[in-house]
Amino acid sequence: MPKRVLQGVVVSDKQDKTVVVKVERRFTHPVMKKTVRKTKNYHAHDENNTAKVGDTVFIEETKPLSKLKTWVLVDQAKA
């Protein structure tokens, strides 16, 4: 089974080797037929502390690294 890769924006880089990434998904509401935006925050492992707040990044799921971290930073999108 392939690993999921998500794109999001870094909202916090205060922790050592960890970034918090906000991922937004859009879908059509089943009854109202209106486009809905939902966001979720993921804690991702950033080995070299390269990502800064506001950067667009890609994260990939991995084995659990800690209580909250099950994602790892893959690369940063060119902004």
Side-chain angles (χ1 to χ4, degrees), residues 6-36:
L6 301 176
Q7 181 180 4
V9 177
V10 176
V11 293
S12 174
D13 63 351
K14 292 182 179 181
Q15 302 172 69
D16 187 33
K17 296 188 179 183
T18 303
V19 290
V20 180
V21 180
K22 179 185 284 189
V23 176
E24 179 183 287
R25 66 184 190 96
R26 302 171 97 182
F27 61 95
T28 304
H29 191 279
V31 176
M32 299 299 180
K33 307 300 182 198
K34 184 175 182 178
T35 302
V36 182

Side-chain angles (χ1 to χ4, degrees), residues 1 12 48-50 53 56 76-77:
M1 188 167 168
S12 174
N48 301 320
N49 290 321
T50 56
V53 174
T56 302
Q76 295 178 328

Side-chain angles (χ1 to χ4, degrees), residues 20-79:
V20 180
V21 180
K22 179 185 284 189
V23 176
E24 179 183 287
R25 66 184 190 96
R26 302 171 97 182
F27 61 95
T28 304
H29 191 279
V31 176
M32 299 299 180
K33 307 300 182 198
K34 184 175 182 178
T35 302
V36 182
R37 296 188 313 178
K38 279 204 172 204
T39 59
K40 186 171 179 182
N41 288 341
Y42 294 95
H43 291 252
H45 184 69
D46 181 11
E47 183 65 35
N48 301 320
N49 290 321
T50 56
K52 300 298 175 202
V53 174
D55 290 350
T56 302
V57 296
F58 290 96
I59 57 174
E60 180 180 64
E61 67 181 344
T62 184
K63 64 180 180 135
L65 300 170
S66 69
K67 178 180 175 181
L68 295 175
K69 286 199 293 187
T70 57
W71 295 82
V72 64
L73 189 72
V74 176
D75 80 285
Q76 295 178 328
K78 307 299 183 250

